């Protein structure tokens, strides 16, 4: 079976992290975002994955070669010369996707959830129509486009940002299609939601499968952290042995074995600590991700932040309110960073008391 | 024989020092480990001719004041008395009212100090100058140098460079007069009372003659406007300039500045009062005073310019810089205190950050003085300044208190920034 992952653009919402690495390679819960999806696909027998990219393909390709071997899976780049939207990339990869006349998966690259690929395959084969969209329940459907479907799952219509309550299910960004859909899509910038799905729905060819469990689009920092919390909660249920159980831990915490944590720390809840990270004595970290190679000096307090690779955080530093630090940022002792977005290789010597971007 | 008089004001005065002055008279507020006027008294004691010190003010006698007087008398071995004004008498009215007590024992002269200043008082030099400058009855005032712009906030005097006579004196002029400013330290001879008495009688007469009495309080006589200004240019008033440090203490921010100045003075006058690095103690940077009864964890880092009061507990991994921690306060693990005053018996939780903004004078200009700016700026926002926690304020763990003032007996629940919490 095949899969297409819509990697697409420059990942600007996750800057400054994406200034140093392509978004699919930014580690979410200690594993490159893309790899979460690739591993789950390999598990249900997908043998070839196409990545629809329009940016930084070389670094991505190189990194993925290593994983190709390990998973026994073939990964191809489909390079968009101009951005082709959400449907165009399918036409570009038509040759690969239609080769074996089997259904194929299509995913948005920013999705984090318990990937229900086997369930999708069974559901899709069962109704036998052209397409299945995974939907998920959200609390505020009016922020998105909602999906309206009957008891069998057959989709009746889509409503964009409804002003009255219509449904609380939205498109979760995961699909499984029969190759016939490729006849509907031209090789030009096309929106699958606006130009393809409505026609399929009208001819009763589109079905909705409800996702159980957590779901989050982690393409921007605030949601990245929320998704991290959900993922860790899920880990607690599925594989609690992966979670960290050392001194000073509270709640769900993921720590790479090569990281070092000092005395009298309070780590968690909802913390991810990457490889080669050093956390000195008396540090408190909550609801944050610390990427590879960073050092956090003693007595600092970090909450709701994403700290990039190889950063140096001084002593008695306070960081909160969705700070995002790029690669190799230095924060001097005793500073307060409130909602700071700090670009790579920057040295910070004065506090940032109100949310702002530091170049 | 000499005496010294310290004018300590009353509860109606020193309101800019609130909330710190809500429960303790401002002159008794501790900087560098000792009450503001204790530093005055210590300086007086250095001049052996001074045999008695009188405090004149409008405060009701209180336990704090009585205890201060008893302790200071004993520690410094000097006669010390408090004379309470029956109503606000002004900076000269109090002197005149208590002239009998001041002149008891026939002193040849007496110092007068404003209570709300901090200074490296040049007692001996000023007394020597006073004795040499003229043979007849005369008075001397202490002056410092200010910037042109800031001089307008003080009493300005024009001086005859050769004779050091004060030619002109005006309090807080609207246009520039001189960059020499009145420090609020004087040497008077008993003759001063005939000058004050003349003003006193005139004021009283004006009340009954329906004259143009500008003073709202009829017994109030102001030293600066009513006595010194007329004396200027009459070959009676002389000025002794000093280059030693001097500052007013009006707002809480200036208490931090005074703390720093007195701590740095200890290096030469009382080096035993400053803490030093040793293997069992906390890390000390710069000038730090730690009261002997305070308990400081060895993993804490203190200074520069920090005073830790009696009975204070400083927990592991705590950082304190440019701050005053008053008696009985508790600082829990890993908290960070910067440019703040932590009130008596207050408590700061673990990992909490209490931070203010320094209001120090421009360090590049050696004559710059501390600015006593208003609380709010033109847009109605709170001007960033020293963070103050009043008495018995409880700050929970892991929050930030930034540029805020918290009144006494308040339990904070969450972080606050740029606020006054009533």
């Amino acid at each position: 079976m095949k899969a297409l992952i819509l990697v697409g653009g420059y990942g600007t919402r996750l800057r400054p992290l994406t200034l140093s690495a392509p978004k699919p390679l930014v580690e979410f819960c200690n594993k490159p975002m893309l790899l979460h999806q690739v591993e789950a696909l390999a598990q249900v027998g997908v043998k070839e994955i196409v990545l629809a990219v329009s940016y930084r393909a070389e670094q991505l390709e190189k990194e993925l070669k290593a994983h190709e071997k390990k998973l026994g899976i073939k990964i191809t780049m489909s390079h968009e010369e101009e951005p082709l939207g959400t449907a165009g990339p399918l036409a570009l990869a038509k040759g690969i996707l239609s080769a074996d006349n089997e259904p194929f998966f299509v995913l948005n690259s920013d999705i984090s959830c318990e990937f229900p690929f086997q369930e999708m395959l069974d559901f899709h084969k069962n109704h036998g129509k052209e397409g299945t969209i995974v939907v998920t329940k959200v609390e505020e459907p009016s922020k998105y486009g909602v999906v309206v479907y009957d008891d069998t799952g057959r989709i009746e219509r889509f409503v964009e940002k409804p002003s009255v309550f219509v449904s609380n299910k939205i498109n979760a960004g995961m699909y499984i299609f029969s190759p016939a859909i490729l006849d509907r899509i031209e090789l030009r910038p096309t929106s699958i939601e606006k130009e393809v799905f409505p026609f399929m729905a009208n001819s009763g060819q589109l079905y909705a499968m409800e996702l159980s469990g957590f779901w989050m689009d982690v393409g921007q920092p605030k949601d990245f952290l929320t998704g991290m919390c959900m993922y860790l909660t899920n880990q607690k249920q599925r594989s609690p042995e992966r979670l960290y159980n050392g001194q000073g831990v509270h709640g769900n915490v993921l720590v790479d074995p090569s990281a070092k944590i000092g005395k009298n720390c309070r780590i968690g809840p909802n913390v991810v600590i990457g490889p080669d990270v050093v956390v000195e004595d008396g540090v408190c970290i909550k609801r944050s991700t610390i990427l590879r190679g960073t050092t956090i000096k003693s007595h600092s307090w970090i909450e709701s932040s994403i700290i990039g690779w190889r950063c140096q955080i001084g002593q008695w530093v306070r960081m909160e309110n969705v700070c995002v630090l790029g690669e190799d940022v230095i924060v001097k002792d005793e500073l307060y960073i409130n909602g700071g977005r700090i670009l790579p290789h920057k040295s910070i010597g004065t506090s940032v008391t109100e949310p702002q971007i530091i170049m | 024989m000499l005496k010294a008089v310290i004018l300590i004001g009353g509860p109606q005065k020193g309101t800019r020092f609130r909330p710190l002055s809500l429960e303790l008279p401002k002159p008794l507020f501790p900087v560098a480990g000792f009450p503001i006027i204790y530093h005055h008294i210590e300086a007086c004691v250095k001049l052996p001719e001074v045999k008695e010190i009188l405090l004149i003010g409008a405060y009701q006698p209180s336990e704090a004041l009585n205890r201060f007087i008893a302790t200071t008398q004993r520690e410094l071995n000097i006669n010390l008395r408090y004379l309470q004004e029956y109503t606000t008498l002004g900076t000269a009215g109090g002197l005149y009212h208590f002239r009998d007590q001041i002149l008891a024992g026939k002193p040849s002269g007496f110092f007068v100090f404003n209570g709300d200043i901090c200074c490296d008082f040049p007692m001996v030099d000023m007394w020597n100058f006073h004795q040499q400058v003229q043979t007849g009855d005369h008075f001397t005032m202490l002056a410092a140098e200010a910037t042109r712009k800031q001089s307008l906030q003080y009493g300005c005097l024009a001086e005859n460079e050769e004779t050091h006579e004060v030619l002109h004196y005006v309090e807080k002029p609207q246009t520039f007069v001189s960059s020499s400013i009145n420090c609020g330290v004087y040497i008077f001879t008993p003759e001063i009372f005939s000058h004050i008495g003349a003003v006193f009688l005139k004021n009283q007469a004006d009340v009954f003659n329906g004259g143009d009495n500008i003073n709202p309080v009829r017994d109030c006589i102001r030293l600066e406007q009513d006595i010194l200004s007329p004396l200027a240019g009459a070959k009676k008033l002389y000025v002794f300039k000093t280059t030693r440090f001097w500052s007013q203490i009006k707002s809480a921010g200036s208490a931090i500045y005074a703390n720093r100045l007195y701590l740095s003075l200890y290096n030469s006058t009382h080096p035993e009062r400053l803490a030093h690095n040793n293997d069992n103690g906390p890390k000390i940077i710069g000038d730090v005073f730690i009261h002997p009864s305070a308990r400081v964890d060895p993993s804490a880092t203190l200074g520069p310019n920090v005073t830790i009061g009696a009975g204070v507990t400083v927990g592991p991994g705590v950082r304190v810089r440019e701050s005053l921690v008053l008696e009985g306060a508790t600082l829990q693990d890993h908290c960070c205190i910067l440019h703040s005053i932590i009130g008596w018996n207050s408590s700061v939780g673990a990992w909490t950050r209490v931070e203010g903004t320094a209001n120090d004078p421009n360090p590049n200009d050696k004559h710059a003085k501390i600015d006593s700016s208003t609380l709010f700026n033109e847009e109605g926002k709170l001007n960033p300044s020293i963070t103050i926690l009043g008495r018995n304020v409880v700050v929970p763990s892991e929050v930030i208190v930034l540029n805020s003032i918290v009144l006494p007996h308040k339990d904070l629940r969450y972080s606050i920034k740029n606020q006054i919490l009533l």
Side-chain angles (χ1 to χ4, degrees):
Chain A
M1 269 198 307
K2 317 269 197 290
L4 175 79
I5 303 183
L6 298 165
V7 172
Y10 289 83
T12 56
R13 288 178 304 165
L14 261 190
R15 283 177 175 167
L17 295 172
T18 45
L19 292 175
S20 303
K23 185 160 60 115
L25 295 183
V26 173
E27 291 94 339
F28 174 76
C29 297
N30 281 349
K31 188 188 301 191
M33 280 170 61
L34 188 66
L35 212 54
H36 288 269
Q37 297 181 339
V38 165
E39 285 178 359
L41 287 167
Q43 269 192 345
V44 298
V46 169
K47 288 293 176 211
E48 186 169 0
I49 300 180
V50 182
L51 302 185
V53 293
S54 56
Y55 157 68
R56 279 273 199 99
E58 320 90 48
Q59 187 184 357
L60 198 49
E61 251 181 308
K62 210 175 65 160
E63 297 280 338
L64 291 173
K65 282 273 176 288
H67 295 290
E68 263 190 319
K69 278 215 171 69
K70 227 183 346 168
L71 298 166
I73 202 170
K74 182 156 179 249
I75 304 182
T76 326
M77 300 288 149
S78 174
H79 195 268
E80 300 163 39
E81 298 287 330
E82 54 161 347
L84 291 174
T86 40
L90 277 74
L92 188 59
K94 185 169 181 172
I96 303 177
L97 295 175
S98 54
D100 55 7
N101 208 29
E102 282 204 20
F104 58 90
F105 294 95
V106 175
L107 314 177
N108 281 354
S109 62
D110 293 343
I111 306 304
S112 175
C113 65
E114 249 188 326
F115 298 106
F117 295 138
Q118 188 58 52
E119 220 187 311
M120 283 165 78
L121 196 51
D122 299 338
F123 180 88
H124 185 76
K125 288 201 164 127
N126 191 26
H127 67 67
K129 302 286 193 262
E130 261 180 50
T132 301
I133 302 180
V134 176
V135 297
T136 181
K137 184 160 105 164
V138 290
E139 278 188 7
E140 296 186 47
S142 327
K143 285 175 14 189
Y144 310 86
V146 303
V147 184
V148 183
Y149 53 94
D150 66 21
D151 292 333
T152 66
R154 192 169 61 88
I155 294 180
E156 293 164 21
R157 65 187 198 284
F158 298 85
V159 184
E160 200 55 33
K161 293 190 180 42
S163 44
V164 296
F165 182 84
V166 170
S167 154
N168 57 10
K169 306 291 192 300
I170 62 159
N171 180 352
M174 294 181 287
Y175 322 107
I176 179 168
F177 298 127
S178 303
I181 195 184
L182 294 166
D183 299 330
R184 294 181 187 264
I185 305 174
E186 290 172 19
L187 182 52
R188 58 174 178 83
T190 316
S191 160
I192 207 170
E193 298 91 350
K194 296 199 173 72
E195 297 176 64
V196 181
F197 287 166
F199 294 105
M200 289 171 74
N202 281 343
S203 27
Q205 290 292 322
L206 203 53
Y207 275 70
M209 187 192 96
E210 284 182 25
L211 176 70
S212 53
F214 77 96
W215 178 89
M216 182 56 74
D217 176 341
V218 300
Q220 51 186 344
K222 191 161 79 74
D223 297 336
F224 184 99
L225 291 174
T226 308
M228 172 193 74
C229 297
M230 292 177 169
Y231 179 93
L232 290 174
T233 307
N234 181 267
Q235 286 296 291
K236 178 86 178 158
Q237 291 171 334
R238 296 277 170 236
S239 29
E241 70 285 356
R242 287 189 68 211
L243 294 180
Y244 183 69
N245 213 354
Q247 279 260 356
V249 146
H250 287 65
N252 303 329
V253 172
L254 198 57
V255 178
D256 186 277
S258 64
K260 292 193 176 26
I261 299 186
K263 304 195 298 278
N264 300 322
C265 290
R266 183 186 296 164
I267 312 290
N270 296 319
V271 170
V272 171
I273 295 186
D276 301 326
V277 167
V278 174
V279 177
E280 290 189 357
D281 298 343
V283 170
C284 178
I285 309 179
K286 302 163 112 167
R287 204 173 180 273
S288 297
T289 288
I290 318 290
L291 296 180
R292 170 194 296 271
T294 285
T295 298
I296 302 184
K297 295 220 163 97
S298 45
H299 315 298
S300 287
W301 186 89
I302 317 262
E303 187 192 55
S304 290
S305 296
I306 308 174
I307 302 186
W309 313 265
R310 302 188 300 117
C311 289
Q312 299 259 357
I313 311 295
Q315 295 179 294
W316 287 289
V317 167
R318 180 184 175 96
M319 286 176 48
E320 61 182 348
N321 198 18
V322 194
C323 289
V324 187
L325 269 52
E327 180 186 14
D328 182 37
V329 167
I330 301 177
V331 177
K332 301 239 163 90
D333 295 344
E334 301 164 31
L335 296 186
Y336 171 50
I337 315 284
N338 175 22
R341 301 277 172 106
I342 305 179
L343 265 57
H345 312 295
K346 183 84 188 142
S347 178
I348 304 290
T350 48
S351 291
V352 179
T353 50
E354 289 305 314
Q356 56 185 278
I357 301 173
I358 308 289
M359 298 210 257
Chain B
M1 181 279 264
L2 294 178
K3 292 197 186 183
V5 177
I6 305 179
L7 305 173
I8 66 171
Q12 313 286 43
K13 298 280 167 192
T15 56
R16 269 178 289 175
F17 208 66
R18 290 173 177 172
L20 298 170
S21 55
L22 283 177
E23 305 195 26
L24 182 72
K26 183 169 81 165
L28 296 185
F29 185 80
V31 294
F34 297 87
I36 291 174
I37 53 176
Y38 186 92
H39 297 278
H40 292 56
I41 297 171
E42 253 195 336
C44 289
V45 164
K46 291 223 174 66
L47 193 59
E49 290 91 321
V50 174
K51 298 294 183 210
E52 181 176 68
I53 302 181
L54 303 167
L55 308 179
I56 296 181
Y59 289 101
Q60 299 288 3
S62 64
E63 203 201 304
L65 196 48
N66 294 340
R67 201 164 3 111
F68 169 76
I69 292 172
T71 317
T72 309
Q73 270 205 130
R74 198 180 56 238
E75 278 176 16
L76 297 179
N77 196 22
I78 181 90
N79 280 346
L80 184 60
R81 292 173 65 193
Y82 172 55
L83 304 172
Q84 182 190 356
E85 297 174 5
Y86 58 90
T87 180
T88 10
L89 295 175
T91 34
L95 290 176
Y96 185 69
H97 182 73
F98 290 111
R99 60 195 179 281
D100 291 333
Q101 279 87 340
I102 296 173
L103 294 178
K106 292 201 181 6
S108 56
F110 57 99
F111 281 82
V112 173
F113 299 85
N114 280 1
D116 60 356
I117 56 176
C118 77
C119 183
D120 179 10
F121 299 102
M123 302 288 298
V124 173
D125 292 343
M126 190 177 171
W127 174 238
N128 287 342
F129 167 85
H130 175 85
Q131 290 180 298
Q132 289 165 6
V133 75
Q134 209 218 70
T135 44
D137 248 320
H138 61 286
F139 321 115
T140 298
M141 58 190 288
L142 185 68
E145 190 72 14
T147 62
R148 277 184 74 101
K149 185 157 165 258
Q150 287 179 324
S151 69
L152 303 182
Q153 297 165 23
Y154 299 91
C156 303
L157 56 102
E159 172 193 3
N160 178 321
E161 300 283 337
E162 287 166 15
T163 64
H164 301 295
E165 188 201 342
V166 175
L167 300 173
H168 186 68
Y169 179 83
V170 57
E171 185 69 15
K172 293 194 184 51
Q174 298 204 321
T175 54
F176 177 75
V177 169
S178 161
S179 56
S180 296
I181 58 167
N182 177 9
C183 289
V185 180
Y186 316 92
I187 299 179
F188 294 129
T189 56
E191 198 216 334
I192 191 71
F193 292 120
S194 62
H195 295 280
I196 308 180
V199 175
F200 175 80
L201 290 173
K202 177 173 176 306
N203 284 353
Q204 299 294 325
D206 275 347
V207 172
F208 297 104
N209 294 341
D212 194 16
N213 190 353
I214 320 165
N215 273 339
V217 179
R218 75 189 230 190
D219 293 339
C220 180
I221 309 173
R222 302 158 303 174
L223 185 61
E224 299 83 0
Q225 293 91 327
D226 301 329
I227 309 297
L228 297 177
S229 281
L231 276 177
K235 293 213 173 3
K236 282 260 173 231
L237 189 56
Y238 293 84
V239 57
F240 177 67
K241 293 279 284 282
T242 182
T243 50
R244 299 195 196 181
F245 80 74
W246 176 89
S247 175
Q248 277 187 326
I249 307 178
K250 295 287 187 199
S251 64
S254 43
I256 293 271
Y257 183 54
N259 182 56
R260 191 168 105 208
L261 294 174
Y262 276 135
L263 281 177
S264 116
L265 191 61
Y266 287 165
N267 281 295
S268 47
T269 57
H270 287 280
E272 75 287 356
R273 285 185 186 165
L274 293 176
H276 299 285
N277 279 301
N278 63 51
D279 289 333
N280 301 330
K283 178 161 175 217
I284 304 291
I285 305 173
D287 301 326
V288 174
F289 172 90
I290 305 178
H291 193 275
S293 66
R295 288 193 313 274
V296 181
D297 191 280
S299 61
T301 301
L302 306 179
N305 303 319
V306 166
T307 292
I308 304 290
V312 164
T313 305
V314 178
V318 169
R319 178 83 182 93
V320 185
R321 179 159 63 90
E322 306 283 348
S323 296
L324 280 169
V325 182
L326 301 179
E327 183 169 341
T330 303
L331 306 178
Q332 288 178 10
D333 308 25
H334 317 295
C335 69
C336 185
I337 314 290
L338 310 170
H339 302 287
S340 300
I341 300 179
I342 309 296
W344 307 262
N345 297 333
S346 285
S347 132
V348 176
W351 280 292
T352 280
R353 183 182 180 94
V354 179
E355 181 180 7
T357 302
N359 287 132
D360 290 350
N362 181 358
N364 294 325
D365 184 342
K366 66 174 179 171
H367 298 309
K369 303 281 173 276
I370 198 160
D371 252 330
S372 30
S373 53
T374 53
L375 263 185
F376 293 93
N377 67 15
E378 282 147 7
E379 290 138 34
K381 286 191 153 170
L382 200 58
N383 273 322
S385 69
I386 300 291
T387 283
I388 307 169
L389 304 185
R391 170 185 290 274
N392 198 21
V393 166
V394 178
V395 185
S397 299
E398 301 184 41
V399 299
I400 177 169
V401 179
L402 178 65
N403 296 336
S404 294
I405 301 172
V406 183
L407 263 60
H409 308 290
K410 176 81 186 159
D411 252 0
L412 290 186
R413 287 290 143 86
Y414 29 72
S415 295
I416 56 167
K417 300 180 199 169
N418 308 299
Q419 287 188 52
I420 302 176
L421 270 204
L422 299 171

